[in-house]
Structures are given as C-alpha cells and as structure tokens.
Amino acid sequence: MSVNLKIDGINVSVEKGSTILDAAKKINIKIPTLCHHEDLCVAGNCRVCIVEVEGKNKLEASCATPAEEGMIIKTNTPKIRNARKDIISLLVSEHNTQCTTCYRSTNCELQALSSEHNIDHERFLSVLKPHTKIDKSSWSIEKDDSKCVRCQRCVRTCAELQHVNALTVSGKGKEMKISTFLNLPFSDVVCTNCGQCITHCPTGALTERRYFDEVWEAIGDPTKHVVVNTAPSVRVALGEMLGMPVGTRVTGKMVTALKKMGIDAVLDTDFTADLTIIEEGHELLTRLKSVLVDGDTSVKLPMMTSCSPGWVKFIEHMYPEYLGHLSSCKSPQQMFGALTKTYYAEKNNINPKDIVSIAIMPCAAKKFEANRPEMRDSGYQDIDAGLTTRELGHMIKQAGLNFAELEDTKYDSFMGDSTGAAVIFGATGGVMEAALRTAYEVVTGREVPFKNLNILPVRGLEGIKEATIKIEGCLPAWSFLEGAELKIAVAHGLINARQIMDMIVAGECPYHFIEVMACPGGCIGGGGQPIPTNNEIRLKRIKAIYDEDEGMPIRKSHENPEVTKIYADFLEKPLGHTSHKLLHTKYRKRNRY
Amino acid sequence: MTKKQLKRVDIILSPYSVSPYQVLINTVKRSKDEVIKEMINSGLRGRGGAGFPTGLKWKLASEQISDEKYIICNADEGEPGTFKDRKILSEVPRKVFSGMAIAGWATNSTKGVVYLRREYKYMVADLEKEIEVFNNKAKEIGLDFSINIFLGAGAYVCGEETALIESMEGKRGEPRNKPPYPIQNGFKGKPTIVGNVETFASASMVCRYGADEYVKFGTNDQHGSKLFSISGDSPKEGVHELELGMSIEDFVHEFGDGDTKAVQVGGVAGFCVPRKHFKTTIIGEGQTTGGATMIFNSTRSMYHVLHNYLDFFVEESCGQCTPCRVGTQQLLKGIEAVKLGEKEPEYLEQLIKLSQTMKVASKCGLGQSVANSFASIVTNFKEEMIY
Amino acid sequence: MSELKTVISDQIKKHGKGRDALMPILQSIVEKNNYLTNENMVEIAKELDISAADVYGTASFYSFLETEERGRYVIRICKSITCDMKGKGKVLRTIQDMLKIKIGETTQNKKFSLLETNCIGLCDQGPAMLINDDFYNHLTPEKVREVLVDYIRNKN
Ligand SMILES: Cc1cc2nc3c(=O)[nH]c(=O)nc-3n(C[C@H](O)[C@H](O)[C@H](O)COP(=O)(O)O)c2cc1C
Ligand code: SF4
Ligand code: SF4
Ligand code: SF4
Ligand code: SF4
Ligand code: FES
Ligand code: FES
C-alpha cells in the first residue's frame, strides 16, 4: 500500500511505513540528519531532522515520523531553520570543538552540520564537562566523551548489528552519557574490538587507536626493515579516503604509495589467505574424517572459520564452551606476521629482530589481535602494528602523495603473490567460496561445479547464507566422503553469528563448515574501513572485490605458486609440524560479563 | 470566557456513599458502546496534564484488535507541587480501580497495572490489600480483569506514558517516538491505555452520575470537578476539589496568604501567572492542568524559583534528545550568567527563543513544557532575573 | 550470593525470565541491601541473559537504584521548590551537622547516607524527607533532630 504526500510543494508517493525522511529522499530533498543511520533502527533523538507538518505547531522529526496520506510537509522555513540552528548550536555548546586536533576532522557529521549552518560560539555558553578523560585502555578503540553528541548510534550498532551490548547509555539528564558496564575501561569489558561502533559514530568520539606515528618512526630508522602486508578488502576501499568514488580498485596505486612512503617490502596478505585455505581446508577434511570415519567425539563439527578476530573474541566471551568449533588456523594477518619473522627473514637473510612487520587492515580488532600474547610464535611480536584503511589514507595524505595520479606497481615478492580466491576473503562468503574451490578439487580432482568458479549462493548481503554441495567422484584418499552432502553456512555481523551459535548450543546445527565474519558485509564493511559505510557502499565494495577476482589469472588458492613453494621449502605439508608451530593457535575463555 | 465563581465540589474525594464496585456492577450491565459514548459525552479530559479526551482514548483502544490489551494507571506523580494522586489512592482507591475495570471491560482488556512512583512505597501495603479486595470482587462478579502494582524507581520522566511503558519493560525510561501511540503499540507492543489516577476515578464518577449530570460542572471546554494540589505560601495547603473555570483572583482570594505575588498553575511544567494577570486568567481555560498550583508571596525571589525549577529539569530530563538535554542546561547557566552580569540582560531574549525551540522540537512533553514556566517567569519578572 | 539467587529466582518466577523482570529484581535487591554491587549486576545479567552494561545502564537511570555503596538508612531530603521555600536549608544543615556528612556521603559506621531528591509528593507538608521508605513531614531543625536521635538510638 502506498501513501501520497506533498513535500515542499512536490507530490510524492511512498510505501506505507516509510518515514517523511524516506519520502524526501525519494524526491531528492536533503533533510539534515545526525542520529539517523541506514543500518540502524530509528532513534529520533538528535532532532536535527525536524520538519513542519501542516496543521501542527510542533515540529516533527522526519526520520521518526511515518509518512501519512495527505500530509503537507515543509522542510525549509524560518521556523525550522531557527530551531535547527538552535539545536546544532546546543550540540556544539556541549562539545569539545577542537576540530584542528581531531582525527575525524573533515569526515565529521557534526562539523559538517555546524559549518553548513554557520554556527558560532556566541549563541550559547559552553556546557562541556571539564576534564573528561579519553579512554585509551584498549588496543583497538579510543573513546573520547568530550566529542560525543549522544546520538546512541554506537549503542544501537553494538546491540542491533553485533548483539554484544558492550555499550549502553548511563545516567540521565545532563549526566547522560555513553558508557560501558560500570564505565569500566574498554579493555576490561566484553567489547570484541570489531570497530563497528566507530564506523557508525558521526564524530570523533569513537576512533581506532592510531599507530601511524610508530610506523613513521620505523620507516625513518635505517636499521629497520619495514614489511607491510595489505589485506584484500583494503584495495577496494582505500580510494574513498583519497577522494575517489566508492568501489574504485586501487591495488597498484596503493603499492606505489607504500613504496614511495619508504616501506622496504610491500607484500600481500592474500598470500597467507591462500595459505589459510590450504591449512583450514585440510583441517576441515581431517575433522570430517575423524568424526565420520573414526567416530572421534572430541573433534567438533561444524568447524567455524577463525580469520575474523572480532568474531574470535566474541566467541571467547559469549560461548567459551564452544571454542572447539573454531578452526585452529590463525588469521591471515597473524600467519603473515609469523612467517615474516621466520621464513621471510631466513630467505632474505635479515635478522628478524630488525624487521618491523605492519599489517594494513580493514579492521579494528586486528590491532588487538596483533597484541595478543599468543601471537609471538616467531620469537618476536609477529605483527608489530596493525593499521586501518583509514590510517593508511591519512599516512598517504601526510606523505603528500597525489594518490589519484600514481602509476600502478606490483607487489614485491616473495609472499606477494595472490589469487582471486584470496581476494574474495574481503567479502562475506569469500572464505567459504575460496575454501570450496580448493577443497572440492582436493577431494575430487575436479573444479567446483559452479560456472566460472563463481559460487553465487554464498555471495551477497543476506545475514545467513547456506548451501549444500554433494560430493561425488572422490579421489581414493577421500573415498569416505563419496556421496556426502557438505552443508555450509556463511554469517556476517555478530548478531547473525549469534543465531548460528544458538543453533549449535541447541544441538540443531545442520552444517559442517561455517564462515563467520564479525562485520556486516565482511571485511569490506570492516571497522577500519572508510566512513561512512552502509549497504549501498558495501555492495559497491563487494562488486569491486569480485571484479578483482575475475581479473586474476589464478583464482584458486592451491595454485598460488608461492604457496606451493613454501610447502616445498619450509612448511613441508599442510598441518605439519612447522605449520602447527607458526600458523595455528589456541583460544581462551573470557568473561561473559 | 465562562468565568465561574470558585466552587468547591465533593465528588471524587467524598467517601463511598455508593460503593464504587456497585457502580462497576451497574456499568458492566450496559452495552460497551453506550458506556464509551457516555464517556465521550461527559467531556472528561485526562487529568495527567495533557488533557486528551478520555472517551476518545477508550474508543480508539476498543477498536484495536489484539489478543491482549493493558490498562495502566499512571501514579507516577512526580511533578513538583503535585500530590493529589497520593490523596486519591490513599483515601478512595476503589474509585480508581472501578474506573480501571470499566475501562478494561469497555475495551476488552484484562490486565490492569498501577504504576506507582517509588517515593510512595509506604502506600504499597495498604494498596495491595485494597487490590486484593478488588481482584476478589472482580472474580465474584465474573469480570475478567485483575490489577497489580508496578513500582517505579525514581525518575520524573517515567510519568510520560511511553517512558513509563519502557520502564515497565525493564528499560531506561526514555520516551518513545510517537506515533505509534500506546493505544496502538504500548506495553509489550500491545494496545495500552495509560490514564491518570484522577482520570480513572473521574471515569467511575461519570458512570455513577451519568454524563448529563457530570457536564454541569466545569467550563465549556473542561467538564467535571478537578483536584487541586495547593502548596506554597498558603494557609490552606493541601488537596482541594474545585470546579474548573474560576479566575486566579478568586483562587488567590480563597487560598492565598494575602500577599500573593504569583501563582504557578500546572506545576513546574505549567505557567507562572503574575499578580497583574490574576483577574484575566481562568484556570482550565486555554490550557489544561494537572491541578498543581503553587502560590508565591512577595518575599519570594522569582529568580530563585526559576532556578529551582531548572535544576529539576536539568536532572530529570531523560537526556536523550538535544533540545531538552542541552537546552535545560543552557537556560540554567544562562540565567546564572545574566544574574552575575556575565551576560547582558538581552541574553534573556535569546534564552526565551531557545525555550521556544525546545517547545517545538523536543521529543516529549518534558522538554516541550519547560518553555511555559521559563518564558512566563522571565517575561513577567524580568527585573528579578537581572538584579 | 545464594540469598541473591533466591531473590532473583523469586522475581523470575513472578515475572518470567524476560527483561520485564529486571526492574522488580533490581528493586528487591536494593530493598535488601540499599544498593547494587557490581557482582549483583553481573549475576542479574547472567540470569536474564542480557548484558551487564544494559543492567548498569538501566539502574543508573533511576535515582532509587543506587550503584554506589549506601548506608542502611538512606535519607532523601526534598529539594524541590515548596520544601525549599519552607526551610529545607535549615533542616539539611541540621542533618549534616548531626551526622557529620555532606550530601552524597555515608557515615563511617555505614548507618546513614544523605541524599537530596526531587519532589516526593508532600509539598503541602514541607519540608519533607524519606528515610528508606518512610516519610517525615513538616520538618524543622528540632523535629529532624528528634527523628535522627530516634534512629541513632533505637534502630540498627
Ligand atoms: C514529563 C512528563 C511527566 C508526566 N507525569 C505524569 C504523571 O506523573 N502522572 C500522569 O498521570 N501523567 C503524567 N504525564 C502525562 C502522561 O504522559 C499521559 O499523558 C497521561 O498519563 C495520560 O493520562 P490522562 O489522559 O488520564 O491524563 C506526564 C507527561 C510528561 C511529559
Ligand atoms: S568530532 Fe567533529 S566537530 Fe568534534 S572536534 Fe572532531 S571534527 Fe570537530
Ligand atoms: S568495537 Fe564492536 S563490540 Fe566493541 S563496543 Fe564497538 S561495536 Fe561493540
Ligand atoms: S560515541 Fe559516537 S555514536 Fe556513540 S553516541 Fe557518541 S557520537 Fe554517537
Ligand atoms: S524532551 Fe527531555 S525527557 Fe523528553 S525525550 Fe527529550 S530529553 Fe528526554
Ligand atoms: S536524524 Fe532524525 S532525530 Fe536525529
Ligand atoms: S516540593 Fe518537596 S515534596 Fe514536593
């Protein structure tokens, strides 16, 4: 059913249940907003989006008011402008307006509103609370209450998208603020470090902890050999930080930029993504064998992927009894770190203590992961710093590079080779697709039975995707799988992960193998990606990922020549002794509350 | 103007000359439509402050189709200067329960809840006894309706109906966006009537006397008797049942101490009327009122009074929406700055404009009503704000 | 701890295991101990399967759900307008002098805490205060002294 209304003199018809804001958008009338976010439920608390509804003295929040038949709306009258200016001025009056020293400057919704409406400091007195301390306790997340506009987007994100509920609103009246349990430091609460609250925060109140100064130091230190690995999803999002349209692929330019910045070796996380597929694929097949053939009850199925550190910390907090379901494989970042300071060091004859290993990630949780005490299998901290796509964008600006004009450069070798399978790790369903491309071939000797290797059922933004693959014509070593139906599922966003976990807890989980990514859309929508992120943007980044995959000469992990080589030269075989030492890890129980 | 002489009435607070449960029994023998029509004809308006026509609310709720509906009696009474609901619940609770039961019967709701403010916990024991009596009575007459108490926990804004519902659902008492209204989507998502204590008692009285009798009291736009919580500089502080429609002059004549300088009508969310407007201001005309009236004599500093109100709003705002959370702080800080000479007196105009923004742009009645007392005090007692 | 569990499970029996049970649970713990400890909140979160942050966020909204340690007798004196006009200031000073605590503080022996509160609905009888659930009206310095002496002498 549709309703018809008139906004600023223009007739518009929208689906019943749409808001006035939706209707205005449809006819290209832009109403300013702040607490509204496409990913989240309606809050209606900032009151920036007020409009006049004929017949009412009160102004209505357009984001929260359903469009009704016959409504006559005005979006730009003196009454609205005055009220809106008051409201933005009020937000500014409780704000620590230090834009010059703020990480979100030029990418801040409050700053933009304030600038558009030419807000000055004269209208109201400052009611900013003095002496708010910035919480820098976490490896990943920084919280600065003096920059908070109390839109509750973070709280809604942590609840609705992630179902972690690490953030809440506490107090009321002027004491109302965003808070963790008892206002404890971030490092001490159930936060998974996914960083989704950051990408949904309109201001500089929530940011990732920045490590680029340390990285610049290392680059400038002649005794250090600085190695960078860049995650698959960074190459389809970094352009947004540098003024390019959403969905632009900038792989070659990014490598050039990093080289120009003085990085000694620019390598590709894709290499360890492919390695992950080999290790994880064999782990899965081994588990299937243990369960199906040996009847070993200590081995858990379904097996779940472990490359998303936000997801790993989630399950450590929320379902500690089920850690056995997690693959023991480290994330590609950590595999990369462990190999950099062993294999890479050995081959290049560099003392690992002189290597500074940096990961460029779409992710906030990878910062925490890099600092986990478990992640020192090389004898050193395997990854010295994890930077976000956003931090890299800043560094490129700091370096004064004209990014759009840079030529393309190839990754250094070795540990720079990539396949299409590794690239798609960046999108939800990608790990699963890559794993199937390899596992199916290992077992049957044939390619997966999907056109162009594109396993479409696991792609896209649906919260939980599932597929069944019938295994036929097995090679002799895998004959126990003959005729088996492999059931797989893909979940992204922790709220969907929770649904899957609850199925497992209830003993009703039909799947053998499940891919989980903490962030909605997978890494392309990661907590370290450019802001804003919404479904429209996610879809464009995803498209870029699959385009990149299609353009690759090699699209299966097991065909990555460097992967073959590392097994020959260093690791010997999947799940072998060295693999176990460097590429696999253990998990720990954490507090549920 | 339909000015009436100040007239005391004795309907709500009178002892039970006819048992309220007899009223209930008689009423449920009639047709539901007829009773709802009677309620509409009585012109009864909600006594919680907003003044929504009660009969219409019942009618809308009765039209909702749902397996479950709720009747909630709002006894959160947190407005400074208001205490009539306490008196009703301690003296004539059966009138309230019978009103709730009639509402429940008329709208096909089977569950009633009294949301009692935490500060009134000392009343719980007596109320529970009375509720048991009621619940037994309901069973006895075969009416599928029961009542229980939900105790608040100390937050003025929970008197706002959607905040109250959030609170009952175990959440922070942050008001919801409206629409949807509680009658469509209330407690646990079900159609819910939230009504004031006095409203339910009055509803029971409408059923007892009939709409025709009931409309004889009051003004053209507000019928019936009204309880006034009178406090401040008055020798007759307490709850008084009066007919709506008298002038403040008459009111002050009866209740003032002979030196009245201003009267706050409708609690801190209402208006402050200065002496020069006593003659022309009719209580219950133009604005609705929850009945709280505070009387100030000439020894009182209106700056101090306003400061006290604003302190209250700054603390009791739920804090979710910008105009109210920050606006209340600005008004408070602003009058302090003017008083201290840190801001020019003209700044008061800016603040009045801000209060008007709060009135039109705040999410709920709390932020929307701050302007009433703010603008009326600042405008009428400007000198006191400055010197 | 086990006592706490019974309190919680009693309320869950009455109100179900949903979020609706949260307020009654918080209330009954405060009724017993006068405030909520951190462990209390974690325990409640576990029982209701909600996050501890949500329990804290909810509790911190309500002035009677204290999350800081309080004495056995919590005095809440009304600071709203009519009580203020009628001499709340003098009454407050008397209490502070007697108990040697300021607003927000608790006596050394953990017997009394002193808080200000907004209107408690006794405006016609001000100044007024609550001690736990009981109210005291028409207060004067003399009257409040008598009240407190009684608490000091006769109540534990
Ligand atoms: C901040 C605020 C506080 C309120 N407090 C009360 C209250 O204590 N009691 C009450 O009956 N209504 C109160 N109301 C009005 C309610 O929202 C609601 O309109 C009323 O309970 C409806 O009942 P009625 O139609 O019988 O008046 C308050 C409204 C606001 C905005
Ligand atoms: S959060 Fe935005 S408005 Fe605030 S200081 Fe930073 S850039 Fe400026
Ligand atoms: S990082 Fe993720 S889990 Fe942590 S508070 Fe933010 S949204 Fe919640
Ligand atoms: S931290 Fe950011 S998202 Fe959260 S309320 Fe503050 S401004 Fe909004
Ligand atoms: S007006 Fe005040 S009380 Fe009402 S929702 Fe806004 S902040 Fe909360
Ligand atoms: S964007 Fe509509 S109220 Fe915030
Ligand atoms: S003003 Fe003190 S009880 Fe109301």
Side-chain angles (χ1 to χ4, degrees):
Chain A
M1 221 170 83
S2 66
V3 291
N4 305 293
L5 60 165
K6 195 176 231 167
I7 305 180
D8 294 343
I10 306 172
N11 289 318
V12 53
S13 161
V14 287
E15 206 51 27
K16 198 175 157 69
S18 310
T19 63
I20 296 175
L21 183 67
D22 297 330
K25 212 171 265 171
K26 194 165 170 194
I27 47 175
N28 277 325
I29 292 176
K30 185 177 171 258
I31 301 172
T33 59
L34 185 59
C35 67
H36 176 78
H37 194 290
E38 297 88 332
D39 287 348
L40 306 172
C41 79
V42 169
N45 59 31
C46 75
R47 316 306 285 178
V48 168
C49 68
I50 41 174
V51 294
E52 262 187 77
V53 179
E54 195 171 279
K56 287 192 182 174
N57 182 40
K58 253 185 71 196
L59 300 173
E60 300 288 346
S62 59
C63 73
T65 309
E68 278 165 30
E69 185 63 37
M71 267 182 167
I72 298 177
I73 310 281
K74 292 207 177 74
T75 71
N76 189 3
T77 63
K79 182 173 171 181
I80 297 170
R81 274 197 306 276
N82 286 333
R84 184 173 290 145
K85 199 157 177 174
D86 267 349
I87 289 167
I88 300 169
S89 302
L90 289 174
L91 287 167
V92 169
S93 79
E94 69 170 352
H95 194 86
N96 178 12
T97 47
Q98 297 284 329
C99 298
T100 47
T101 54
C102 184
Y103 186 49
R104 282 292 295 275
S105 188
T106 73
N107 181 224
C108 168
E109 293 181 37
L110 179 63
Q111 191 186 47
L113 281 172
S114 175
S115 147
E116 278 164 15
H117 292 80
N118 192 20
I119 302 302
D120 58 42
H121 265 307
E122 299 302 304
R123 192 174 283 228
F124 301 122
L125 300 157
S126 169
V127 291
L128 170 67
K129 287 193 192 59
H131 323 300
T132 40
K133 256 185 68 192
I134 302 178
D135 180 356
K136 293 191 183 192
S137 62
S138 151
W139 289 109
S140 298
I141 319 274
E142 254 182 56
K143 178 165 168 276
D144 180 353
D145 292 338
S146 73
K147 302 275 172 78
C148 174
V149 296
R150 293 162 177 80
C151 63
Q152 305 191 23
R153 270 159 55 163
C154 53
V155 178
R156 284 177 280 150
T157 301
C158 198
E160 294 165 25
L161 302 182
Q162 303 301 67
H163 211 293
V164 175
N165 296 293
L167 291 173
T168 183
V169 185
S170 74
K172 67 168 177 286
K174 82 167 190 219
E175 304 301 332
M176 178 273 201
K177 61 174 264 184
I178 305 304
S179 168
T180 54
F181 177 49
L182 299 169
N183 215 10
L184 288 169
F186 249 80
S187 55
D188 295 0
V189 299
V190 292
C191 166
T192 67
N193 298 310
C194 71
Q196 284 301 312
C197 51
I198 299 175
T199 52
H200 289 82
C201 177
T203 69
L206 285 165
T207 52
E208 70 271 35
R209 263 186 80 187
R210 275 86 69 195
Y211 297 94
F212 42 55
D213 286 336
E214 287 84 339
V215 173
W216 282 125
E217 282 300 310
I219 292 174
D221 184 342
T223 66
K224 298 290 182 203
H225 181 79
V226 183
V227 179
V228 154
N229 69 87
T230 69
S233 59
V234 176
R235 65 202 68 184
V236 297
L238 177 66
E240 293 166 42
M241 290 296 296
L242 299 151
M244 301 168 91
V246 178
T248 313
R249 289 148 58 194
V250 296
T251 320
K253 291 189 196 311
M254 172 176 70
V255 176
T256 311
L258 285 162
K259 293 205 146 274
K260 284 192 186 278
M261 284 157 52
I263 304 291
D264 295 303
V266 182
L267 306 179
D268 199 343
T269 324
D270 285 8
F271 165 68
T272 38
D274 282 331
L275 205 52
T276 302
I277 290 302
I278 308 298
E279 292 287 325
E280 205 166 68
H282 281 86
E283 186 185 354
L284 175 65
L285 294 171
T286 315
R287 285 200 195 205
L288 286 169
K289 181 156 188 286
S290 305
V291 174
L292 300 178
V293 181
D294 309 337
D296 184 344
T297 49
S298 71
V299 173
K300 302 287 180 223
L301 280 179
M303 185 174 98
M304 305 178 92
T305 60
S306 56
C307 29
S308 167
W311 151 239
V312 169
K313 194 160 181 268
F314 177 84
I315 181 169
E316 287 179 331
H317 281 294
M318 307 290 172
Y319 298 91
E321 293 79 28
Y322 296 86
L323 286 171
H325 289 271
L326 272 185
S327 157
S328 63
C329 287
K330 289 180 182 172
S331 72
Q333 161 179 295
Q334 291 307 134
M335 287 194 182
F336 209 101
L339 291 175
T340 306
K341 294 194 181 177
T342 53
Y343 178 58
Y344 177 90
E346 205 178 292
K347 289 275 170 186
N348 287 297
N349 226 344
I350 307 172
N351 187 339
K353 88 171 176 18
D354 294 330
I355 296 182
V356 176
S357 161
I358 293 155
I360 313 284
M361 293 287 141
C363 184
K366 291 240 155 68
K367 293 170 185 290
F368 168 82
E369 186 187 30
N371 286 289
R372 286 175 79 120
E374 298 90 337
M375 298 298 172
R376 308 177 68 93
D377 289 328
S378 63
Y380 305 87
Q381 179 161 335
D382 295 338
I383 290 285
D384 294 287
L387 301 186
T388 59
T389 310
R390 296 189 291 269
E391 282 168 283
L392 178 59
H394 275 82
M395 289 181 80
I396 292 171
K397 288 184 202 162
Q398 288 165 20
L401 298 173
N402 186 352
F403 189 75
E405 300 301 317
L406 293 180
E407 73 283 12
D408 287 351
T409 310
K410 280 203 156 41
Y411 281 98
D412 289 317
S413 117
F414 56 109
M415 301 195 3
D417 270 0
S418 163
T419 67
V423 167
I424 59 175
F425 262 59
T428 167
V431 176
M432 182 58 71
E433 183 165 345
L436 292 177
R437 285 183 194 173
T438 290
Y440 193 88
E441 212 166 308
V442 168
V443 172
T444 65
R446 286 173 282 120
E447 285 193 340
V448 277
F450 288 90
K451 189 164 167 237
N452 280 339
L453 297 176
N454 295 338
I455 308 180
L456 299 179
V458 299
R459 296 186 181 183
L461 284 180
E462 203 185 318
I464 297 177
K465 296 163 279 188
E466 46 183 19
T468 305
I469 288 151
K470 186 147 184 156
I471 304 180
E472 283 168 323
C474 288
L475 295 174
W478 306 100
S479 55
F480 69 93
L481 285 172
E482 186 61 43
E485 291 200 329
L486 186 68
K487 287 193 163 60
I488 55 111
V490 173
H492 59 117
L494 291 172
I495 189 148
N496 296 314
R498 193 182 272 276
Q499 282 193 29
I500 299 246
M501 286 313 298
D502 289 342
M503 284 158 98
I504 294 180
V505 172
E508 291 164 358
C509 184
Y511 311 117
H512 299 106
F513 184 39
I514 303 168
E515 174 204 300
V516 182
M517 293 292 152
C519 293
C523 301
I524 50 93
Q529 293 284 47
I531 302 170
T533 299
N534 56 35
N535 273 348
E536 197 185 322
I537 293 176
R538 288 186 189 99
L539 286 170
K540 286 189 181 158
R541 293 183 190 153
I542 288 176
K543 178 170 184 311
I545 284 268
Y546 289 117
D547 288 350
E548 185 100 355
D549 168 33
E550 298 249 10
M552 300 286 273
I554 307 175
R555 296 181 59 214
K556 293 177 273 188
S557 297
H558 55 279
E559 293 177 356
N560 183 328
E562 288 191 336
V563 169
T564 322
K565 188 168 155 53
I566 194 174
Y567 281 109
D569 292 1
F570 186 71
L571 294 172
E572 292 170 37
K573 59 172 189 193
L575 308 180
H577 174 73
T578 318
S579 287
H580 260 295
K581 180 166 178 305
L582 293 177
L583 307 184
H584 292 258
T585 187
K586 288 199 171 60
Y587 308 101
R588 58 167 85 178
K589 293 185 176 183
R590 294 178 195 269
N591 249 348
R592 169 78 174 79
Y593 295 94
Chain B
M1 247 192 287
T2 52
K3 180 169 171 281
K4 294 207 170 188
Q5 290 294 306
L6 182 134
K7 196 170 109 201
R8 289 178 181 276
V9 262
D10 199 15
I11 301 176
I12 294 173
L13 286 180
S14 64
Y16 311 131
S17 55
V18 174
S19 152
Y21 297 151
Q22 194 53 51
V23 175
L24 171 63
I25 292 168
N26 296 344
T27 306
V28 300
K29 285 184 189 139
R30 301 165 62 188
S31 94
K32 296 184 181 189
D33 288 347
E34 189 188 318
V35 170
I36 289 178
K37 197 171 273 163
E38 176 114 58
M39 209 50 67
I40 293 173
N41 291 342
S42 77
L44 175 63
R45 295 238 217 143
R47 303 302 199 205
F52 191 83
T54 305
L56 181 58
K57 197 187 275 192
W58 289 21
K59 181 164 185 290
L60 294 171
S62 71
E63 287 163 359
Q64 296 286 323
I65 297 161
S66 173
D67 53 342
E68 189 77 84
K69 295 180 191 175
Y70 294 92
I71 305 291
I72 298 177
C73 171
N74 187 343
D76 196 48
E77 191 164 65
E79 177 102 25
T82 314
F83 40 85
K84 52 149 184 116
D85 294 341
R86 162 173 58 80
K87 181 120 173 158
I88 298 174
L89 284 173
S90 45
E91 294 183 6
V92 288
R94 294 182 188 191
K95 294 188 183 175
V96 180
F97 302 153
S98 103
M100 289 172 73
I102 293 168
W105 164 81
T107 58
N108 299 320
S109 325
T110 59
K111 292 205 168 65
V113 181
V114 176
Y115 186 101
L116 186 71
R117 72 182 304 210
R118 174 61 177 76
E119 288 80 350
Y120 291 167
K121 188 156 177 219
Y122 51 84
M123 294 168 57
V124 166
D126 286 348
L127 274 178
E128 271 177 346
K129 271 186 223 141
E130 277 293 335
I131 284 178
E132 201 182 320
V133 171
F134 168 82
N135 286 342
N136 288 335
K137 192 82 193 173
K139 253 189 228 133
E140 191 188 309
I141 63 174
L143 184 70
D144 185 10
F145 189 79
S146 65
I147 297 180
N148 60 43
I149 296 184
F150 187 98
L151 200 58
Y156 163 61
V157 69
C158 287
E160 197 281 339
E161 53 193 1
T162 58
L164 181 149
I165 289 169
E166 288 283 296
S167 167
M168 284 178 54
E169 292 178 357
K171 296 184 235 150
R172 298 166 50 80
E174 292 181 0
R176 298 175 177 172
N177 292 302
K178 292 194 264 191
Y181 294 91
I183 42 165
Q184 303 155 323
N185 184 340
F187 183 48
K188 298 187 189 173
K190 305 288 182 191
T192 302
I193 288 185
V194 181
N196 176 253
V197 174
E198 185 183 344
T199 310
F200 285 118
S202 303
S204 173
M205 293 303 97
V206 169
C207 291
R208 178 182 160 184
Y209 292 102
D212 293 346
E213 275 301 303
Y214 194 80
V215 295
K216 289 186 185 151
F217 299 103
T219 66
N220 290 341
D221 60 78
Q222 290 209 54
H223 301 300
S225 68
K226 175 82 197 80
L227 295 191
F228 284 82
S229 311
I230 298 172
S231 65
D233 296 314
S234 162
K236 298 181 184 166
E237 286 179 284
V239 179
H240 300 267
E241 188 169 352
L242 306 170
E243 195 177 347
L244 284 164
M246 73 253 162
S247 72
I248 303 239
E249 186 173 50
D250 287 354
F251 183 86
V252 166
H253 185 73
E254 173 75 16
F255 296 104
D257 63 357
D259 183 25
T260 304
K261 141 165 126 178
V263 178
Q264 180 78 24
V265 184
V268 298
F271 295 84
C272 188
V273 183
R275 191 181 284 150
K276 62 177 184 247
H277 295 153
F278 283 177
K279 245 193 178 54
T280 52
T281 312
I282 309 292
I283 298 181
E285 283 269 294
Q287 85 284 16
T288 58
T289 170
T293 23
M294 295 182 279
I295 301 178
F296 303 112
N297 70 20
S298 65
T299 67
R300 305 297 172 189
S301 149
M302 294 314 286
Y303 171 80
H304 183 83
V305 168
L306 181 59
H307 196 283
N308 187 290
Y309 290 1
L310 290 172
D311 267 334
F312 173 80
F313 287 126
V314 165
E315 278 178 27
E316 295 295 342
S317 155
C318 82
Q320 68 164 319
C321 82
T322 313
C324 172
R325 178 188 65 250
V326 197
T328 51
Q329 294 177 61
Q330 286 296 349
L331 297 181
L332 179 59
K333 198 160 179 172
I335 62 162
E336 284 175 354
V338 170
K339 191 79 174 177
L340 291 170
E342 288 166 2
K343 278 274 184 188
E344 297 301 314
E346 291 73 56
Y347 190 57
L348 293 171
E349 298 307 319
Q350 180 82 51
L351 294 177
I352 289 178
K353 276 198 200 130
L354 169 60
S355 75
Q356 296 310 320
T357 293
M358 293 166 66
K359 186 176 194 134
V360 293
S362 291
K363 184 165 174 176
C364 87
L366 193 153
Q368 288 160 13
S369 65
V370 175
N372 298 347
S373 47
F374 186 84
S376 56
I377 293 179
V378 171
T379 315
N380 292 312
F381 301 95
K382 200 159 181 178
E383 288 75 30
E384 292 190 42
M385 298 299 122
I386 302 168
Y387 307 108
Chain C
M1 210 57 181
S2 64
E3 190 195 1
L4 173 72
K5 281 225 166 86
T6 21
V7 171
I8 298 177
S9 63
D10 281 356
Q11 295 298 335
I12 286 180
K13 254 179 236 144
K14 255 192 245 163
H15 302 271
K17 218 177 153 82
R19 181 113 189 212
D20 305 354
L22 180 58
M23 291 282 280
I25 292 175
L26 293 170
Q27 302 261 22
S28 40
I29 294 173
V30 172
E31 180 168 330
K32 279 214 157 60
N33 306 333
N34 269 339
Y35 73 104
L36 299 158
T37 64
N38 305 350
E39 296 76 40
N40 289 161
M41 287 186 263
V42 167
E43 191 61 31
I44 296 169
K46 264 189 204 148
E47 288 299 323
L48 295 183
D49 196 22
I50 56 181
S51 88
D54 281 343
V55 176
Y56 171 69
T58 303
S60 67
F61 189 83
Y62 298 96
S63 58
F64 278 76
L65 300 178
E66 303 275 353
T67 53
E68 274 168 51
E69 183 169 4
R70 297 292 180 211
R72 292 188 297 288
Y73 295 100
V74 182
I75 304 170
R76 290 186 169 85
I77 179 159
C78 172
K79 65 173 176 189
S80 293
I81 185 65
T82 39
C83 289
D84 187 66
M85 283 160 56
K86 298 293 173 78
K88 162 248 172 189
K90 271 187 272 170
V91 175
L92 178 63
R93 274 192 296 281
T94 310
I95 303 175
Q96 288 177 327
D97 289 349
M98 276 185 79
L99 300 178
K100 310 264 179 306
I101 48 174
K102 293 203 268 302
I103 293 162
E105 292 179 349
T106 299
T107 53
Q108 290 255 304
N109 62 4
K110 308 263 189 262
K111 185 159 177 177
F112 295 102
S113 296
L114 176 60
L115 302 173
E116 281 187 323
T117 183
N118 287 318
C119 179
I120 54 177
L122 294 162
C123 328
D124 53 340
Q125 303 160 32
M129 69 177 184
L130 294 171
I131 300 184
N132 290 355
D133 300 340
D134 297 324
F135 73 89
Y136 299 88
N137 54 4
H138 295 302
L139 291 171
T140 57
E142 295 71 40
K143 182 165 173 194
V144 80
R145 203 170 287 130
E146 275 170 37
V147 171
L148 287 185
V149 165
D150 182 46
Y151 270 85
I152 292 167
R153 293 225 182 105
N154 304 327
K155 303 204 177 175
N156 286 312

